[in-house]
Amino acid sequence: MMMWVLSCASTGYPTHSLRASFKTKAKVRSSSQVSVSLSTHHHQQQQQQQQQLLLHHHQDHPFVPEVVKAVDSLYSEFRAVDNLVACNTARVLKAFQNARVGYHHFGGCTGYGHDEAGGREALDQAFAEIVGAESAIVRSQFFSGTHAITCALFAFLRPGDELLAVAGAPYDTLEEVIGKRDSQGLGSLKDFGVNYREVPLAGDGGLDWDALVGAVKPQTRCALIQRSCGYSWRQSLSVNEIGRAIKTIKMQNPNCLVMVDNCYGEFVESIEPPMVGADLIAGSLIKNPGGTIAPCGGYVAGKERWVKAAAARLSAPGLGVDCGSTPGDIMRAFFQGLFLSPQMVGEAIKGTFLVAEVMSSKGYKVQPLPRVQRHDIVQAVQLGSRECLLAFCEAVQRSSPVGSFTKPVAGTTPGYASEIYDALVCERAELCKKLSPLNCTR
């Protein structure tokens, strides 16, 4: 009953006028006296008409008052997001034109992929220009962002080298890649003799700039920067902060290569890490740059030499970037998703603003705070208990267009040490993951 009342309360939208018609009964007592009595159901009729009006209003405007209020208050933030979308879309359009993308690029190929009609090359060229890189490899053969990042790390590192994570502990699925968590001898960086250190975050959840100044050593071959907060309760990094970190790293060791985990950050700003000096970036097409259209895949972009080295890790030395088949339906989805991704990311950013605004008004802790500039599409909310988290995820599932009749159940997922609770519709958008502070990205 309470939910119905909240949903049907008046909002800032225009309301319909209520026209009440009252039935009357006239009784003639004499030629000079007429008494008029109102119907005894007058009050009931008013109540029924009001209920019908509320029901009609609820059907036309399904938002509860808290959401309507938040949307109205976020006009300037939403307008800024629209401007960002326009800027990034123009950059994508220009890159497509420069790559001379045509219908024939959507054909795809089979087999070894040697007779590919140019779509693979055009997609790589367009993507590289969009992110400001010398080169890029965009492939369906990347299983995930973790896979692409792994290829980039193995492109840089050799036995005896050191990997330094400068933004605290990395994303969960990289723990076994690095060897921070036991990979059972399956070939982690640690198994290959690569050493690992990390610079803890500062007390405010951002980079510890004082510690970073003296963190890079002569043996530090690669510095890993995670752009997004991921599933940690910490700040996400702006591209300008990443640029500042790269300068600090290179000043200490010019030969130290910088790899940026770019997941969740693409198109959230008007610039990307290669534009501020990153040697390589890597990410997933299942997230931002796939525009909700790409069904799979990932990318590595940056300096041409290191992109080729990452491609050799994906395939084999000598094969390079000029092989690997991609079916036509997948190739078309890659182009379409990349073109739409600024718009889709813009909608996701608006979603983070809205979630933060509403949930903070209800007393929940949120990260980032309401109306703070976004640097990724992650919005974290501390729901306070496992029970609240489960209830939230179940509500998301019930509201989904696909699988609304199912109930998500917590379980294990490859790469994660923590228990995972995914609502079906959120799997691509990574809306609900850990049973610690809830991360809402879409």
Side-chain angles (χ1 to χ4, degrees):
M1 182 62 179
M2 178 60 70
M3 290 300 295
W4 183 84
V5 171
L6 287 175
S7 298
C8 298
S10 61
T11 70
Y13 291 97
T15 57
H16 301 280
S17 61
L18 179 63
R19 295 180 180 179
S21 61
F22 304 131
K23 294 182 179 179
T24 60
K25 294 182 180 179
K27 182 178 180 181
V28 179
R29 293 183 178 180
S30 66
S31 59
S32 62
Q33 292 182 341
V34 178
S35 65
V36 180
S37 62
L38 293 176
S39 169
T40 57
H41 299 291
H42 174 206
H43 184 63
Q44 289 85 345
Q45 286 178 333
Q46 279 187 310
Q47 287 183 327
Q48 290 175 357
Q49 289 172 331
Q50 288 175 347
Q51 289 175 353
Q52 290 175 354
L53 176 60
L54 288 172
L55 179 61
H56 180 67
H57 177 76
H58 174 59
Q59 292 172 342
D60 287 346
H61 309 293
F63 301 137
V64 296
E66 293 91 337
V67 173
V68 174
K69 180 180 178 181
V71 170
D72 290 341
S73 69
L74 290 169
Y75 175 82
S76 60
E77 285 77 11
F78 284 4
R79 186 60 182 267
V81 173
D82 291 338
N83 291 335
L84 173 69
V85 169
C87 176
N88 286 335
T89 298
R91 192 167 84 248
V92 172
L93 176 60
K94 186 65 175 177
F96 271 51
Q97 294 169 341
N98 290 340
R100 300 180 64 83
V101 174
Y103 294 109
H104 58 287
H105 290 144
F106 306 149
C109 61
T110 58
Y112 295 117
H114 295 319
D115 57 348
E116 206 266 339
R120 187 173 56 214
E121 181 181 355
L123 181 62
D124 289 349
Q125 179 184 336
F127 196 96
E129 180 178 335
I130 289 167
V131 299
E134 291 179 6
S135 178
I137 175 171
V138 184
R139 295 291 183 274
S140 61
Q141 285 80 11
F142 284 119
F143 295 166
S144 62
T146 299
H147 186 196
I149 294 165
T150 300
C151 289
L153 291 176
F154 273 91
F156 284 157
L157 295 161
R158 296 293 180 268
D161 289 341
E162 180 184 73
L163 171 64
L164 177 67
V166 303
Y171 192 72
D172 295 41
T173 54
L174 287 175
E175 290 180 353
E176 290 182 74
V177 173
I178 294 169
K180 187 176 179 180
R181 181 156 37 100
D182 188 9
S183 64
Q184 308 298 321
L186 296 179
S188 68
L189 289 168
K190 184 178 180 180
D191 291 339
F192 282 93
V194 175
N195 300 310
Y196 172 74
R197 285 189 300 122
E198 62 186 47
V199 180
L201 294 170
D204 62 357
L207 291 181
D208 188 336
W209 297 103
D210 292 335
L212 181 57
V213 169
V216 182
K217 307 300 181 183
Q219 68 271 21
T220 306
R221 177 61 172 170
C222 174
L224 173 63
I225 302 176
Q226 183 175 299
R227 179 175 179 178
S228 172
C229 64
Y231 303 131
S232 300
W233 192 264
R234 47 152 282 197
Q235 296 179 21
S236 298
L237 302 179
S238 69
V239 177
N240 285 332
E241 286 177 309
I242 292 173
R244 177 184 171 187
I246 292 172
K247 290 181 180 179
T248 302
I249 292 165
K250 298 284 188 180
M251 286 178 62
Q252 298 173 71
N253 183 353
N255 295 321
C256 181
L257 301 167
V258 178
M259 158 65 202
V260 177
D261 173 357
N262 210 34
C263 289
Y264 303 108
E266 301 92 347
F267 298 110
V268 177
E269 299 185 44
S270 60
I271 56 176
E272 297 291 337
M275 301 177 186
V276 294
D279 295 292
L280 279 182
I281 62 172
S284 171
L285 298 184
I286 306 173
K287 302 181 180 73
N288 303 27
T292 76
I293 302 296
C296 58
Y299 72 89
V300 175
K303 303 292 177 58
E304 183 176 8
R305 173 188 175 184
W306 301 116
V307 170
K308 288 181 177 179
R313 174 68 187 187
L314 172 65
S315 55
L319 297 182
V321 299
D322 298 322
C323 61
S325 63
T326 303
D329 58 332
I330 302 297
M331 184 63 77
R332 178 187 176 91
F334 282 177
F335 277 104
Q336 185 177 10
L338 180 58
F339 184 77
L340 292 175
S341 54
Q343 179 68 42
M344 298 300 103
V345 170
E347 292 302 306
I349 297 172
K350 290 181 180 180
T352 68
F353 279 121
L354 185 59
V355 169
E357 192 77 14
V358 173
M359 297 302 282
S360 64
S361 72
K362 294 297 183 180
Y364 293 99
K365 292 182 179 179
V366 298
Q367 176 73 264
L369 296 173
R371 310 192 190 195
V372 173
Q373 185 178 359
R374 267 44 181 174
H375 303 301
D376 63 8
I377 61 168
V378 175
Q379 179 62 52
V381 181
Q382 287 190 1
L383 293 177
S385 70
R386 176 189 176 94
E387 290 71 28
C388 288
L389 175 61
L390 300 185
F392 184 92
C393 291
E394 289 172 8
V396 170
Q397 188 66 59
R398 286 194 304 271
S399 302
S400 303
V402 177
S404 60
F405 54 89
T406 63
K407 180 179 180 179
V409 177
T412 59
T413 298
Y416 291 90
S418 302
E419 199 174 11
I420 303 301
Y421 196 81
D422 267 333
L424 179 62
V425 74
C426 307
E427 186 171 358
R428 281 177 59 96
E430 305 277 344
L431 180 60
C432 309
K433 274 286 187 186
K434 282 193 167 183
L435 291 171
S436 53
L438 174 67
N439 291 306
C440 305
T441 63
R442 284 286 178 142

